[in-house]
Amino acid sequence: MGKTLPIELCSMVCDLEGAIMEGALNKIKGQRVHVREIKCNINGDDHCEYEIRF
């Protein structure tokens, strides 16, 4: 997905994906969950990867 998007738009998409995961996990777990992107295909990684901390 990110390989076809401009860098600015891809960053917005990645931020949105992380925010959606964080919000959903906060609701499911009933506690504060932190989500942080640690790999991104727009930066040359094979895939996007997120770190999730409970």
Side-chain angles (χ1 to χ4, degrees):
M1 178 176 177
K3 292 178 182 177
T4 61
L5 295 174
I7 291 173
E8 297 83 19
L9 183 55
C10 185
S11 177
M12 289 173 24
V13 169
C14 293
D15 290 344
L16 177 61
E17 288 173 346
I20 290 169
M21 281 191 284
E22 188 170 277
L25 289 169
N26 284 333
K27 190 73 167 171
I28 292 166
K29 295 294 285 180
Q31 68 185 52
R32 184 73 175 121
V33 176
H34 299 277
V35 176
R36 178 174 76 96
E37 185 179 31
I38 57 174
K39 290 184 181 180
C40 182
N41 63 353
I42 198 67
N43 292 330
D45 296 312
D46 290 335
H47 59 276
C48 294
E49 185 174 312
Y50 294 87
E51 175 183 82
I52 301 171
R53 293 186 179 238
F54 295 94

